[in-house]
Amino acid sequence: DIQMTQSPSSLSASVGDRVTITCRASQSISSYLNWYQQKPGKAPKLLIYAASSLQSGVPSRFSGSGSGTDFTLTISSLQPEDFATYYCQQSYSTPEGFGPGTKVDIK
Amino acid sequence: EVQLVESGGGLVQPGRSLRLSCAASGFTFDDYAMHWVRQAPGKGLEWVSGISWNSGSIGYADSVKGRFTISRDNAKNSLYLQMNSLRAEDTALYYCAKSIWGSYPPVAFDIWGQGTMVTVSS
């Protein structure tokens, strides 16, 4: 099975900050990588699919990049509603596992 | 309104069975692959199982393979998860999720239900 790791596991940031979260796969997954946002008590929300494709309705301050084993999610200017946990997910092979998550909270 | 509504969760003893259902509305159900994802209390997301639009492709996580069975009824706009031989480690909130594609694989989940809680305990 492909193992997914994320760094950092948590971070504190201020409104307006540029935030970068990294996801790494244990083997090459081409561009088969998704990013989700989850707020407490809510279902996850798809932000980015296929490494860099922005899901419809998601603000353009979110962007994704990478291929192979290393990927990043960038929030260009953190907004109050962005404080949440972010998960990556590989879509290259079954089981389509998630990373352990990165919690973004207020500094 | 595009919506997924899960049902069937509850408290069950180890070794027993439970069947989850997911009712879809607001989109053409038989155009899309569907999946189950679970989240244990205070933990991260775990993909459980997926099924293509026509049930031709099915997959399971290693942790549930041989115990869980996914199915769908396109005429009823419904997704199911038959869970047998339940274990304490199956305790989680189970989400039904719609893929952005009809085929499986690949996966990306754009619509999620609110989840149904399954608790396995004696």
Side-chain angles (χ1 to χ4, degrees):
Chain A
D1 295 358
I2 297 173
Q3 304 304 314
M4 306 301 294
T5 57
Q6 290 182 232
S7 61
S9 57
S10 64
L11 66 91
S12 295
S14 301
V15 173
D17 284 353
R18 181 181 182 88
V19 169
T20 298
I21 298 169
T22 297
C23 177
R24 177 165 289 173
S26 60
Q27 65 185 73
S28 178
I29 58 171
S30 184
S31 295
Y32 291 93
L33 193 283
N34 307 320
W35 289 99
Y36 299 86
Q37 175 195 68
Q38 187 179 32
K39 297 180 180 179
K42 299 295 186 182
K45 174 185 176 182
L46 178 64
L47 301 175
I48 302 284
Y49 64 94
S52 61
S53 295
L54 190 68
Q55 172 65 5
S56 176
V58 174
S60 59
R61 63 180 179 273
F62 292 93
S63 64
S65 64
S67 65
T69 60
D70 295 319
F71 302 85
T72 59
L73 173 70
T74 300
I75 309 172
S76 60
S77 177
L78 197 67
Q79 297 302 299
E81 60 269 29
D82 300 337
F83 292 97
T85 299
Y86 294 84
Y87 295 93
C88 61
Q89 178 197 27
Q90 66 86 10
S91 177
Y92 183 79
S93 67
T94 299
E96 285 82 356
F98 292 87
T102 295
K103 184 176 182 180
V104 177
D105 60 22
I106 302 171
K107 182 184 286 186
Chain B
E1 180 190 6
V2 176
Q3 196 173 12
L4 296 171
V5 178
E6 304 93 337
S7 61
L11 174 64
V12 61
Q13 293 179 329
R16 303 297 290 264
S17 299
L18 211 54
R19 188 194 196 206
L20 304 184
S21 299
C22 172
S25 59
F27 65 97
T28 304
F29 182 72
D30 54 11
D31 276 352
Y32 298 97
M34 297 294 296
H35 296 258
W36 291 98
V37 176
R38 69 185 181 184
Q39 188 167 34
K43 303 297 184 182
L45 301 171
E46 180 186 12
W47 176 82
V48 173
S49 183
I51 185 169
S52 64
W53 69 276
N54 64 352
S55 304
S57 179
I58 287 175
Y60 298 98
D62 292 345
S63 57
V64 307
K65 199 174 296 182
R67 299 189 298 123
F68 289 12
T69 302
I70 192 172
S71 62
R72 66 189 294 162
D73 186 335
N74 287 344
K76 295 183 178 180
N77 291 344
S78 293
L79 176 72
Y80 306 101
L81 186 68
Q82 178 66 43
M83 305 187 295
N84 298 332
S85 303
L86 282 162
R87 305 167 180 168
E89 53 265 37
D90 296 319
T91 294
L93 183 65
Y94 283 73
Y95 290 106
C96 168
K98 168 190 167 293
S99 178
I100 64 174
W101 295 293
S103 59
Y104 162 64
V107 307
F109 310 139
D110 64 337
I111 303 297
W112 297 65
Q114 284 307 298
T116 186
M117 186 68 200
V118 173
T119 303
V120 184
S121 175
S122 54

